[in-house]
Amino acid sequence: MRGVIALDGPSGTGKSTVARRLASALGSGYLDTGAMYRAVTLGVLRSGGDPAAVAASVVVTVGTDPADPTVLLDGVDVSAEIRGSEVTLAVSAVSAVPEVRQILVARQRAIIAAVVDSHGGIVVEGRDIGTAVAPDAELKVYLTASADARAQRRTRQDSAAGRQATLEETLADVQRRDDYDSSRAVSPLRQADDAVELDTTELDLDGVLASLLDLVDGRG
Ligand code: C5P
């Protein structure tokens, strides 16, 4: 689909930050699909309900403006709560439930179509964008980095946001989520056959953004 850029990969590759910066640079919209799984997980933790029923009943609204990626759960801003450790611990299990994925993927496709219509393009980040949500995306990039580099980045992000976790705890969480996300039955985390792999271990954010812009221009 013209105008759709799919950015997939495990956590800690700098995906969210570069996805927003890429969208701003291109004047495109932006969709953080992980935030949708996190918001549903928060709803499950609060209500104790069945994940599929929660996914069907809660209204998750994600900002598609890269400068304002606000996430609303039933109308209330939960952008900070969805990054907390309780949600991070539970999100992989909730996002492995097939009905949850079915519901959210349908919503993601509707958002993508609407934003391509209104903005001419969208950068979509997640785990299954190139393989399941938008297999016909114009450009697919799979971001990777060593587990150590990803844990270090996540630890820095967490402490900047006032969340305390040791490097060891974060590394264990990164590896646990990678294993869970890569081994689930429905649309596991994997590189699409036609995705370009970009290893960000040795790159800073400016370097990742420059590589992505080259790929968009067909120079990558
Ligand atoms: O990107 P983020 O780390 O916020 O994603 C949180 C979790 O949501 C991932 O660990 C994964 O379990 C799930 N997810 C997913 N499919 C996506 C995006 C995120 O299963 N497209």
Side-chain angles (χ1 to χ4, degrees):
M1 187 177 188
R2 270 190 69 75
V4 179
I5 298 178
L7 287 189
D8 287 303
S11 67
T13 49
K15 207 166 20 125
S16 292
T17 311
V18 288
R20 280 206 295 276
R21 286 182 56 185
L22 180 66
S24 294
L26 299 173
S28 297
Y30 161 74
L31 179 62
D32 175 1
T33 59
M36 298 173 75
Y37 289 96
R38 285 174 178 274
V40 168
T41 303
L42 183 64
V44 170
L45 290 173
R46 283 181 178 170
S47 70
D50 163 58
V54 172
S57 63
V58 298
V59 182
V60 172
T61 316
V62 284
T64 54
D65 174 350
D68 182 23
T70 307
V71 182
L72 306 179
L73 180 63
D74 288 333
V76 178
D77 186 348
V78 291
S79 308
E81 285 93 325
I82 61 168
R83 305 289 158 199
S85 57
E86 277 186 36
V87 171
T88 301
L89 263 176
V91 65
S92 287
V94 171
S95 59
V97 177
E99 293 82 3
V100 171
R101 303 202 71 79
Q102 213 179 351
I103 292 164
L104 292 191
V105 167
R107 290 187 195 163
Q108 289 156 12
R109 288 186 179 143
I111 295 170
I112 291 168
V115 175
V116 168
D117 248 9
S118 62
H119 289 65
I122 186 166
V123 177
V124 189
E125 61 146 311
R127 302 290 189 289
D128 62 341
I129 311 307
T131 53
V133 176
D136 56 353
E138 193 173 347
L139 173 66
K140 301 179 188 179
V141 183
Y142 191 81
L143 297 174
T144 60
S146 71
D148 276 350
R150 294 190 286 117
Q152 275 168 21
R153 285 176 192 159
R154 281 272 318 279
T155 308
R156 277 199 298 272
Q157 266 172 14
D158 281 346
S159 82
R163 294 184 295 268
Q164 295 311 325
T166 65
L167 183 60
E168 290 70 28
E169 284 166 348
T170 305
L171 180 60
D173 174 65
V174 160
Q175 285 172 329
R176 180 187 60 80
R177 275 205 292 151
D178 287 357
D179 290 347
Y180 213 134
D181 293 344
S182 317
S183 60
R184 69 174 171 236
V186 182
S187 44
L189 168 67
R190 73 170 176 83
Q191 181 173 350
D193 294 337
D194 52 351
V196 180
E197 182 176 338
L198 180 59
D199 186 340
T200 69
T201 307
E202 304 292 337
L203 296 174
D204 61 10
L205 286 176
D206 287 338
V208 180
L209 183 65
S211 301
L212 288 173
L213 286 169
D214 280 351
L215 288 170
V216 171
D217 288 344
R219 291 194 303 257

